[in-house]
Amino acid sequence: MVRAYMLYAEAAAREPKSEKYRSNRDGLEPLAKLLSKSGIEKEPSREELLASVPDEVDEPLPKVGRQEFQLEQKLKPPPELSLLPGRHSFHTKTDERNLYETVARAYGIGVVFDPEIQPQASVTLDLDDVDAKQALEGVAEATDTFLFPISSTAIFVARDTPEKRQEYEPQVVLTVPMPDVADPKDMTEAGNAVRQAFNLRYIGVDSEDRSIVLRDRLSQANAARSLLETLIRPAPQVAIEVQILTVDDQRALDYGLSLPNTFPLINLGAMFTSNLQVAIPQAFINFLTFGGGRTLFGIGVMNAEAVATYSKSVAKSIYDATVVVSSGQTAQWHVGDKFPIATTLSNGAQAIGNPLATYVANIQMVDLGLLLKVKPDLHPDGDISMDLHAEYQALGSQTYNTVPSILNRQFEGSVRLHEGEWAILAGLNTQSSVRTKTGIAGLSSIPLVGNLFSEINKTQTGSHTLVVVKPHPLSLLPVEDKTPLYVGGEYGRKVLL
């Protein structure tokens, strides 16, 4: 466990963007530190750790062959002890053999000892109100032995040494089902990590039954299976709701006197001295005249109007979308259109040598509008961290050789939320104000009284846009119901029940 934790910590340091390395490192850290501080497992130096890693750590797992199938068919499940119910207390000091027989007799089982075992002469055992498993664990710790059932009513006891473990500990074949959502690459990485962490005798893939087969000593195989099930657990899924809220408002105010600022000058004398027709501008019926005869002229005069109008308009629009993505994966939205942008152009000069030749411009499709990328990461307490990237692209007002410019705005950030909380990803506010004054030249420019000879128009427009996201976990990381990681002494668990 300590070695596996250090390997994942080294991998996470080299590839900090790898979510798999970080999650495996964080998952193994508490247990690895406990084993290291208690002295159960020795922490190797960094040089020893890296020296033990082969160049190719992600080699494909071998497929289960005919030999493994035949071996699996011959093996039987480990026997289960039929223990008498009840709890007992033990306060005795005797030799190892009598101590084991006393405890075993209390729960209705027998003991078979390794012929080469040399019993210690005096061993003290003090236990109060314990069941059978607790009692056997206490005896095994006090005598530095390990035990396993050989039938439903008997256990075998031997000294806990590497040689005796190799000689007596039962060898088992365990099958770990592969979930349908598991990536074959992830399965290979998990299988190689478990094989290196426990130095397994055999690990292979059964492609027909979609499972991984482990073969090793009972304590090693159980621990390897527990770690493998933890590593290949399907990633939980998160539903992310995205809303784009837009509010546009416009206010217009028009007040003052609407006075004419154009006055047609017409030769009215021509109408009386000749048969010429004089065109009278439309809407002019009143004239201010001067002169006489052929020199009679008229200046058109219109009536003045008082203006006082006010208008207000508000438009709201909501874009709502939901996507489901696995924790640690990236979801992407694009709200907008694809616009063709020419990357190379032809001005026709190239066709002089060959009039029949045709040249087509190279076109690149550019995503206009909002491009949003969200990468959620679900925590065991239900919180959700999200890496956010938002990009907005629109056509600019300038063109270069008939190619329009592209306006680009980007936002990147991270946020951590509880379930059901909204996060404002980005906001854009646009305000514009226009004031127009219309009147007679000179009179409308007089301070204070100039407004009496003018018409004033004020227009205010505003646009408010918010991009908000809200995550909903569809499945939570297991907190209470975690797969147990079986650990024990230096050579594995001492009580193999």
Side-chain angles (χ1 to χ4, degrees):
M1 292 297 172
V2 176
R3 184 173 179 272
Y5 161 71
M6 295 183 65
L7 287 172
Y8 275 120
E10 179 69 18
R14 296 187 180 187
E15 296 186 20
K17 294 184 178 180
S18 174
E19 180 64 20
K20 183 178 184 62
Y21 292 156
R22 296 200 309 268
S23 60
N24 291 340
R25 175 200 62 190
D26 297 340
L28 293 174
E29 183 177 6
L31 182 59
K33 289 185 176 180
L34 178 63
L35 296 176
S36 178
K37 291 182 179 179
S38 59
I40 297 178
E41 290 188 20
K42 181 181 178 182
E43 180 176 344
S45 64
R46 187 172 184 272
E47 291 74 15
E48 296 174 349
L49 183 73
L50 299 181
S52 64
V53 179
D55 295 333
E56 295 293 337
V57 297
D58 287 336
E59 57 184 9
L61 297 177
K63 294 185 178 181
V64 178
R66 182 182 301 274
Q67 181 180 1
E68 295 300 325
F69 280 118
Q70 294 176 352
L71 177 62
E72 186 174 357
Q73 293 174 355
K74 294 179 180 179
L75 293 177
K76 297 181 179 180
E80 295 184 3
L81 288 177
S82 298
L83 301 170
L84 295 178
R87 305 174 72 88
H88 300 276
S89 299
F90 303 93
H91 301 281
T92 181
K93 184 177 181 180
T94 181
D95 63 88
E96 286 182 342
R97 187 179 294 273
N98 289 332
L99 184 62
Y100 260 110
E101 292 176 348
T102 300
V103 173
R105 191 182 306 112
Y107 299 100
I109 57 177
V111 183
V112 177
F113 292 93
D114 175 20
E116 298 181 359
I117 194 172
Q118 299 295 329
Q120 300 182 37
S122 179
V123 179
T124 302
L125 182 65
D126 290 303
L127 297 174
D128 290 317
D129 192 27
V130 293
D131 58 19
K133 185 176 181 180
Q134 293 172 337
L136 293 175
E137 288 177 349
V139 177
E141 290 290 342
T143 59
D144 193 22
T145 56
F146 75 99
L147 61 93
F148 56 89
I150 55 176
S151 69
S152 61
T153 58
I155 59 174
F156 183 87
V157 178
R159 191 69 65 196
D160 193 9
T161 62
E163 294 78 13
K164 294 300 180 181
R165 288 272 187 169
Q166 188 72 19
E167 182 179 359
Y168 290 120
E169 184 174 349
Q171 180 177 268
V172 296
V173 174
L174 299 180
T175 301
V176 183
M178 296 169 52
D180 294 335
V181 297
D183 190 342
K185 181 179 179 181
D186 294 339
M187 296 298 303
T188 300
E189 293 180 356
N192 282 302
V194 171
R195 173 168 54 187
Q196 295 170 23
F198 294 96
N199 194 20
L200 295 176
R201 294 183 179 178
Y202 177 83
I203 179 172
V205 176
D206 184 357
S207 57
E208 294 184 359
D209 294 338
R210 292 189 59 81
S211 60
I212 290 183
V213 178
L214 309 174
R215 176 164 57 85
D216 209 310
R217 295 185 293 114
L218 179 59
S219 58
Q220 285 280 93
N222 278 335
R225 178 181 61 180
S226 300
L227 180 58
L228 184 60
E229 290 176 346
T230 302
L231 295 178
I232 66 175
R233 182 182 295 115
Q237 292 186 327
V238 180
I240 302 176
E241 183 179 359
V242 179
Q243 289 188 0
I244 303 176
L245 313 176
T246 302
V247 178
D248 298 325
D249 61 87
Q250 180 176 358
R251 295 177 177 88
L253 177 62
D254 191 6
Y255 64 93
L257 292 177
S258 179
L259 299 175
N261 51 20
T262 59
F263 306 95
L265 181 61
I266 301 175
N267 185 3
L268 299 177
M271 298 175 59
F272 303 104
T273 58
S274 65
N275 293 328
L276 296 178
Q277 294 183 354
V278 179
I280 304 298
Q282 189 178 0
F284 285 91
I285 58 177
N286 298 322
F287 293 90
L288 177 62
T289 61
F290 59 91
R294 294 184 178 181
T295 61
L296 179 64
F297 289 88
I299 299 177
V301 179
M302 291 184 64
N303 297 327
E305 295 179 353
V307 179
T309 60
Y310 174 77
S311 64
K312 177 182 179 181
S313 63
V314 178
K316 300 179 181 179
S317 60
I318 299 178
Y319 173 84
D320 195 342
T322 303
V323 69
V324 177
V325 62
S326 298
S327 177
Q329 302 298 320
T330 301
Q332 179 174 313
W333 289 267
H334 175 224
V335 183
D337 302 311
K338 287 184 175 293
F339 189 83
I341 300 294
T343 57
T344 59
L345 299 174
S346 173
N347 56 12
Q350 301 175 357
I352 296 177
N354 185 5
L356 300 179
T358 58
Y359 296 90
V360 180
N362 293 330
I363 300 298
Q364 179 183 1
M365 303 302 293
V366 178
D367 293 329
L368 298 182
L370 178 65
L371 179 64
L372 181 62
K373 297 180 181 179
V374 181
K375 181 181 178 182
D377 185 13
L378 183 61
H379 299 278
D381 58 358
D383 286 358
I384 304 170
S385 296
M386 294 186 295
D387 295 332
L388 306 169
H389 173 84
E391 183 175 355
Y392 179 77
Q393 293 192 126
L395 293 178
S397 59
Q398 298 181 350
T399 58
Y400 302 93
N401 195 15
T402 71
V403 178
S405 60
I406 302 296
L407 302 180
N408 186 286
R409 296 184 180 92
Q410 291 186 0
F411 168 82
E412 290 187 2
S414 300
V415 66
R416 178 166 178 164
L417 302 172
H418 297 298
E419 179 182 0
E421 288 185 341
W422 287 98
I424 299 178
L425 174 60
L428 178 63
N429 294 333
T430 303
Q431 298 285 344
S432 64
S433 179
V434 179
R435 185 177 186 271
T436 305
K437 188 176 184 180
T438 305
I440 300 176
L443 294 178
S444 60
S445 301
I446 300 175
L448 299 180
V449 299
N451 293 337
L452 299 177
F453 302 97
S454 307
E455 180 183 357
I456 299 176
N457 181 272
K458 294 182 179 179
T459 304
Q460 293 181 345
T461 59
S463 178
H464 312 277
T465 302
L466 284 180
V467 180
V468 296
V469 294
K470 179 171 65 173
H472 301 278
L474 300 182
S475 58
L476 297 177
L477 291 172
V479 178
E480 299 295 337
D481 187 20
K482 286 187 176 180
T483 302
L485 298 179
Y486 295 100
V487 296
E490 183 178 1
Y491 310 118
R493 289 191 300 145
K494 291 181 177 293
V495 179
L496 306 178
L497 298 181

